[in-house]
Amino acid sequence: MTITPPALSVFETLESEVRSYCRGWPAVFDRAQGSHLHDEDGHTYLDFFAGAGSLNYGHNNPVLKRALIDYIERDGITHGLDMATTAKRAFLESFQNVILRPRDLPYKVMFPGPTGTNAVESALKLARKVKGREAIVSFTNAFHGMSLGSLAVTGNAFKRAGAGIPLVHGTPMPFDNYFDGQVPDFLWFERLLDDQGSGLNKPAAVIVETVQGEGGINVARAEWLRALQELCHRQDMLLIVDDIQMGCGRTGGFFSFEEAGIVPDIVTVSKSISGYGLPLALTLFKPELDIWEPGEHNGTFRGNNPAFVTAAAALNTYWADGQMEKQTIARGEQVERALLAIVDEMGGEGVSFRGRGLVWGMEFDDKPRASAVCARAFELGLLLETSGPESEVVKLLPPLTISSDELDEGLRILARSVRETA
């Protein structure tokens, strides 16, 4: 397939220079269904990006679309702030019955503003309010959002620099295997906590991703996460798991921390929670932490009722019988076999891979090659993005609903792209 870049005049002349994805994918997209997007010139692209993890159930999922259309056609509430509505009630009941109760999770549900960074901001604010302390510990290569509080616990230097002001009250610690196994887990962290001369203010909370998506697909071991939870308990700190990209089934279980057997104090959820790509975010926390005053944290668009409708439909359709988790794990094994074959073809030199469920990354020692692979994949009809602090990782994030044949097709294109950029 030969793709001629379209005339992008209005985008180039009117839209801000801050735009990014459209630079790597020079097409004007017009339609999408399932695992494919179509541009206005008739080209078709297999999607291994899935709205940065916001489209776990694919584009225009027919079950969710039907529920949304029915709701709109009967003049259901669209905008409701935090008013009680039938759509919100249906979502809360489904979330409780399908997700929380079967996992014996005790959480209260808060609706902050409708994006991931809104959920993180509310989680940090609540942790500080509960503990009466300001400091938050995050981890190297973390990404938690683009608003100021979230940036303060984000590791990427480029994104942090965009704040334009000092980012305070956040302290980074080494993520799992940051020292290649040469330093015992949490040695530095606990030493600082116990040393009255360390200069580390007692943290209110620790925030962590079980798999660092933007940071390069860095996968925390289950035993590392369990040890982190134990450390938080010993040191009277709250544990916040940011499950915005890795939750909603991306790693297999609905929550990415399930495999480790931990129960975080606070969990942030967004991206695919609406199921349809509509903005929605949740902040979950243990009941004893619910010390908010009415209206103390709010947001005009926290009552996105169409998102409640599609979210409830997604939960009831895909999470009531346990099949989605099994399928995701099986698809993940399919990806792992393909990536191993690519590495073997390269002689095992200069490339490695890692992942869980349906999030995987291929890291290249020759860092610019990752971008070259993604560019070639686009020319061949596959959407991929890079991640990692120097964009050195090719990131695979296909819809969870992708078929085995579609997955094989994309992996063949990936293999060809790697081969042709050698």
Side-chain angles (χ1 to χ4, degrees):
M1 177 171 62
T2 301
I3 297 170
T4 302
L8 299 174
S9 57
V10 70
F11 305 108
E12 293 171 344
T13 60
L14 188 59
E15 191 178 1
S16 166
E17 292 297 318
V18 79
R19 66 192 188 279
S20 60
Y21 291 115
C22 57
R23 298 178 189 273
W25 302 328
V28 178
F29 296 103
D30 181 51
R31 297 181 300 108
Q33 208 286 318
S35 301
H36 292 89
L37 292 94
H38 309 274
D39 71 19
E40 63 182 4
D41 294 324
H43 300 119
T44 297
Y45 304 82
L46 187 56
D47 187 5
F48 272 27
F49 174 65
S54 295
L55 296 166
N56 282 2
Y57 311 104
H59 296 269
N60 287 302
N61 182 288
V63 176
L64 311 188
K65 179 166 64 175
R66 184 73 262 161
L68 179 60
I69 290 172
D70 289 346
Y71 183 76
I72 292 171
E73 286 186 338
R74 74 167 185 82
D75 292 331
I77 298 293
T78 295
H79 182 274
L81 295 157
D82 68 358
M83 294 183 289
T85 65
T86 54
K88 184 199 281 190
R89 180 175 59 201
F91 167 72
L92 286 170
E93 290 175 346
S94 293
F95 193 68
Q96 183 177 49
N97 294 332
V98 176
I99 302 301
L100 296 181
R101 279 181 178 159
R103 293 161 178 79
D104 198 26
L105 293 171
Y107 298 130
K108 298 288 289 292
V109 178
M110 172 185 177
F111 299 104
T115 69
T117 198
N118 293 142
V120 170
E121 294 284 358
S122 65
L124 301 180
K125 184 188 291 188
L126 180 60
R128 287 168 170 142
K129 180 178 174 67
V130 168
K131 292 300 183 183
R133 309 178 204 133
E134 297 176 349
I136 303 290
V137 164
S138 57
F139 290 94
T140 49
N141 290 310
F143 178 78
H144 295 291
M146 297 297 283
S147 52
L148 292 181
S150 301
L151 277 177
V153 291
T154 286
N156 186 284
F158 173 73
K159 292 180 172 64
R160 289 176 62 87
I165 62 171
L167 297 172
V168 297
H169 309 307
T171 302
M173 291 292 166
F175 191 71
D176 190 14
N177 204 38
Y178 187 72
F179 293 112
D180 300 319
Q182 300 302 306
V183 178
D185 295 337
F186 309 115
L187 175 66
W188 173 242
F189 189 2
E190 195 142 29
R191 183 73 57 85
L192 291 179
L193 289 170
D194 291 337
D195 182 358
Q196 295 301 305
S198 70
L200 175 65
N201 293 331
K202 182 77 170 183
V206 174
I207 185 167
V208 67
E209 303 154 274
T210 66
V211 180
Q212 295 181 325
E214 297 303 309
I217 318 302
N218 305 312
V219 182
R221 294 167 296 142
E223 55 266 35
W224 186 86
L225 292 167
R226 287 192 290 269
L228 176 60
Q229 177 174 260
E230 292 166 5
L231 172 61
C232 288
H233 289 169
R234 285 198 309 275
Q235 296 285 351
D236 187 33
M237 302 178 298
L238 298 179
L239 176 60
I240 305 169
V241 167
D242 180 343
D243 233 7
I244 288 164
Q245 188 168 85
M246 297 304 154
C248 302
R250 177 54 58 182
T251 65
F254 186 85
F255 295 109
S256 70
F257 56 81
E258 291 180 45
E259 181 186 45
I262 63 173
V263 181
D265 299 293
I266 304 175
V267 182
T268 60
V269 180
S270 187
K271 288 196 181 282
S272 274
I273 188 61
S274 81
Y276 202 74
L278 300 175
L280 184 63
L282 316 178
T283 307
L284 314 175
F285 40 81
K286 293 179 177 178
E288 62 269 24
L289 305 181
D290 193 9
I291 62 171
W292 292 113
E293 295 291 334
E296 191 174 6
H297 186 95
N298 55 30
T300 302
F301 293 99
R302 65 195 183 279
N304 187 356
N305 282 258
F308 293 149
V309 171
T310 54
L315 296 179
N316 294 328
T317 302
Y318 293 103
W319 291 98
D321 61 3
Q323 292 306 304
M324 176 58 75
E325 180 173 355
K326 294 177 183 177
Q327 177 177 297
T328 297
I329 292 170
R331 296 282 190 271
E333 292 170 350
Q334 184 178 347
V335 174
E336 185 174 15
R337 289 192 298 270
L339 296 183
L340 181 60
I342 294 172
V343 170
D344 286 346
E345 183 180 333
M346 295 179 63
E349 296 295 326
V351 63
S352 59
F353 68 91
R354 52 190 175 265
R356 276 180 62 196
L358 272 176
V359 54
W360 291 83
M362 292 193 72
E363 181 175 1
F364 291 88
D365 293 349
D366 176 17
K367 294 178 172 56
R369 189 172 176 189
S371 294
V373 168
C374 290
R376 181 57 180 147
F378 173 77
E379 293 172 351
L380 297 171
L382 176 67
L383 299 186
L384 290 167
E385 71 165 334
T386 60
S387 70
E390 298 179 73
S391 298
E392 73 276 20
V393 177
V394 174
K395 181 180 182 183
L396 283 66
L397 207 71
L400 305 185
T401 51
I402 194 168
S403 71
S404 178
D405 288 345
E406 290 170 333
L407 193 56
D408 270 340
E409 178 190 351
L411 292 167
R412 284 195 299 270
I413 294 174
L414 172 63
R416 178 178 170 185
S417 302
V418 172
R419 197 176 301 122
E420 294 182 357
T421 55

